Amino acid sequence: MNTLVALCAIGAEKILGNEIKQLGYSLKPQQQLTPGRVTFIGDDDALFRSNLCLRTADRIYLHMTSFHAENFDELFDGIYSQPWQDYFFKDVKVVIDKVRVSKSKLNSEHSIQSIAHKAIYTKLGDIWHIRTMPESGEEKDIRIYIENNKVTVLLDLSGVPLHRRGYRKDGGIAPIRETLAATLLQMMCWRRKIPLHDPFCGSGTIACEALLYAYNVAPGFGRRFSMETLPIFDSNRAKEIRCQEAEKIRPECETRITGSDIDFQAIERAKKNAEHAGVTAGRALQLIGSDAKIKRPDFIQADFRELEAPYETGLLLGNPPYGERIGDEQEAQMLYTDMGQFFENFPNWNFGFITAQESFQDHFGRKASSVKKLKSGNLDTFFYMFKEQQEK
């Protein structure tokens, strides 16, 4: 069995943990709620399947080792002791991409990077009888956490962050991360039978993530992962896993996923990105000999003030401008005030809006039934959920 670490937006750990358990893997006790990290146990299939299937994870790491170190000799020895030759080819370029230190005697991130890098290359050189590593091959990232003098060494299995699904060719200005959009859908307990509309659809990310979720399309079908160029990768087994996940796609489902935006160019981007997402699903179905098609979301150009509920109940989920990269704070606050009319135009609907503005509720005119703080990247945001209405 393997110990794996999945990274996510800070505040989304429980959502990711539930997703991991639904995939059939168990969370590691006492490490379930580390901010932005979820540690779990999985078989060899989990290395690939977690990258392919987890919607709310930003990266997947293989836990290489944990040990106590209060000086650089102990750090070197602990890292050197690992069988790195089993995980890398002889032309590998190893990068210690990040070091995080908390409450530990070792606190120089640059020195920790240097010692860790030296330990790995010394071990590989000793095993392969190489004086100097050529570093002409694939780049492989290592991340190190040191907390209370406990060193944790992780090997990146994802490569490009998992939020880059591959379908979003043009994100426009200030797009929401795909993994964060998937998290919002989970927090709202959205189900495929419920109509969904994003009134600030931008590049269509929320609608695209809803499409993949509704039809049970694994989000990683449109991309590759760093682990695929490691010696431990079993390409035949990976093909079998892809086919197993393709069998789970449900093209027969009926959905009502829509989006709107005042910007015509945004609508064009959303349509193209949704088409790419649909094509990705179609190619996955081809793996099992199916030519079934996935229905794309519908997008229209419209000012949110002009919208009216197309169905009796549903979910309005959006990422309105924060006043950070689009407009200014005052413009955003005026927009939030106008958004208050959603309660009149969308009676019996639930609402979810993510923004960096803590004063959102004051301008929106209603108190949220729940507020969740989320940090994805460097921006602190608040997800306001208005779930007073019952699903029908």
Side-chain angles (χ1 to χ4, degrees):
M1 299 299 281
N2 305 285
T3 299
L4 297 154
V5 177
L7 302 191
C8 63
I10 295 176
E13 297 85 4
K14 286 187 178 180
I15 296 293
L16 175 56
N18 288 335
E19 196 181 0
I20 289 170
K21 289 187 285 187
Q22 289 173 2
L23 204 56
Y25 305 121
S26 59
L27 304 187
K28 192 169 182 179
Q30 300 178 344
Q31 297 189 39
Q32 300 177 13
L33 298 179
T34 304
R37 281 183 276 164
V38 180
T39 303
F40 63 103
I41 307 298
D43 55 13
D44 289 344
D45 285 354
L47 276 64
F48 184 77
R49 196 185 298 273
S50 60
N51 274 287
L52 180 68
C53 298
L54 291 176
R55 302 180 188 279
T56 61
D58 288 316
R59 285 185 185 274
I60 305 296
Y61 288 90
L62 177 61
H63 180 280
M64 297 297 297
T65 184
S66 288
F67 57 90
H68 186 86
E70 296 186 10
N71 57 59
F72 288 117
D73 287 339
E74 292 176 339
L75 177 66
F76 182 95
D77 292 344
I79 294 177
Y80 180 93
S81 67
Q82 296 307 297
W84 296 107
Q85 69 278 7
D86 295 341
Y87 294 89
F88 298 136
F89 290 107
K90 289 185 178 180
D91 60 353
V92 67
K93 180 179 181 180
V94 176
V95 176
I96 312 299
D97 74 324
K98 284 189 179 180
V99 173
R100 294 287 182 266
V101 182
S102 173
K103 301 176 182 178
S104 300
K105 291 185 177 181
L106 293 173
N107 55 26
S108 170
E109 294 184 3
H110 178 74
S111 297
I112 292 167
Q113 283 179 310
S114 179
I115 294 297
H117 193 270
K118 181 180 179 181
I120 294 172
Y121 272 18
T122 300
K123 178 61 173 282
L124 294 176
D126 289 348
I127 293 293
W128 292 331
H129 307 291
I130 299 174
R131 271 190 163 186
T132 303
M133 296 295 293
E135 296 188 315
S136 57
E138 295 281 344
E139 183 175 300
K140 297 302 171 187
D141 292 340
I142 300 290
R143 182 167 293 196
I144 297 175
Y145 293 97
I146 306 181
E147 298 163 331
N148 297 310
N149 299 313
K150 180 182 179 181
V151 180
T152 299
V153 183
L154 307 176
L155 171 61
D156 182 14
L157 300 179
S158 302
V160 175
L162 295 178
H163 73 265
R164 298 184 185 177
R165 315 286 203 211
Y167 65 75
R168 194 167 72 183
K169 306 302 181 182
D170 184 356
I173 301 174
I176 188 173
R177 282 189 181 183
E178 293 89 332
T179 48
L180 183 56
T183 299
L184 304 186
L185 288 164
Q186 294 292 326
M187 286 184 168
M188 292 299 301
C189 301
W190 181 72
R191 297 294 178 264
R192 62 177 63 88
K193 68 178 182 179
I194 303 172
L196 172 73
H197 185 80
D198 178 359
F200 309 98
C201 68
S203 57
T205 305
I206 290 176
C208 289
E209 288 301 311
L211 176 145
L212 297 179
Y213 176 71
Y215 293 101
N216 207 31
V217 180
F221 268 122
R223 54 162 292 165
R224 297 293 178 180
F225 311 104
S226 179
M227 70 161 296
E228 296 182 53
T229 53
L230 292 175
I232 60 173
F233 179 64
D234 184 341
S235 59
N236 290 328
R237 182 56 186 154
K239 290 178 183 178
E240 293 175 358
I241 292 173
R242 283 182 177 272
C243 288
Q244 289 173 359
E245 296 304 322
E247 291 279 3
K248 298 176 183 178
I249 298 174
R250 300 178 59 184
E252 76 283 357
C253 290
E254 294 185 5
T255 61
R256 291 166 288 181
I257 303 170
T258 56
S260 60
D261 200 289
I262 196 171
D263 183 359
F264 175 76
Q265 292 183 332
I267 295 301
E268 291 302 301
R269 283 194 296 270
K271 288 180 178 179
K272 289 179 181 179
N273 292 335
E275 179 61 23
H276 292 148
V279 168
T280 296
R283 289 174 178 167
L285 286 165
Q286 289 173 7
L287 294 174
I288 56 173
S290 172
D291 59 358
K293 304 296 181 183
I294 298 294
K295 181 184 176 183
R296 280 45 162 176
D298 292 322
F299 298 98
I300 61 169
Q301 181 184 11
D303 188 319
F304 73 87
R305 301 169 186 85
E306 302 170 355
L307 297 175
E308 293 184 356
Y311 305 103
E312 182 180 353
T313 61
L315 170 62
L316 207 65
L317 181 62
N319 176 38
Y322 302 167
E324 297 279 342
R325 285 178 284 179
I326 299 178
D328 57 31
E329 184 174 345
Q330 185 175 7
E331 289 176 335
Q333 291 173 353
M334 292 173 63
L335 182 144
Y336 300 156
T337 299
D338 290 345
M339 285 171 57
Q341 69 188 56
F342 281 141
F343 287 96
E344 295 181 7
N345 296 343
F346 287 79
N348 302 316
W349 280 52
N350 289 329
F351 307 98
F353 301 108
I354 186 168
T355 172
Q357 298 286 345
E358 285 191 78
S359 62
F360 174 81
Q361 295 174 98
D362 297 333
H363 301 284
F364 191 49
R366 297 285 181 96
K367 287 292 183 182
S369 54
S370 179
V371 181
K372 187 69 175 180
K373 189 173 182 179
L374 296 166
K375 184 170 186 177
S376 181
N378 295 321
L379 189 62
D380 291 321
T381 59
F382 303 88
F383 184 43
Y384 297 93
M385 292 171 274
F386 302 82
K387 299 171 65 174
E388 293 87 351
Q389 305 302 327
Q390 298 295 316
E391 294 181 11
K392 294 185 179 181

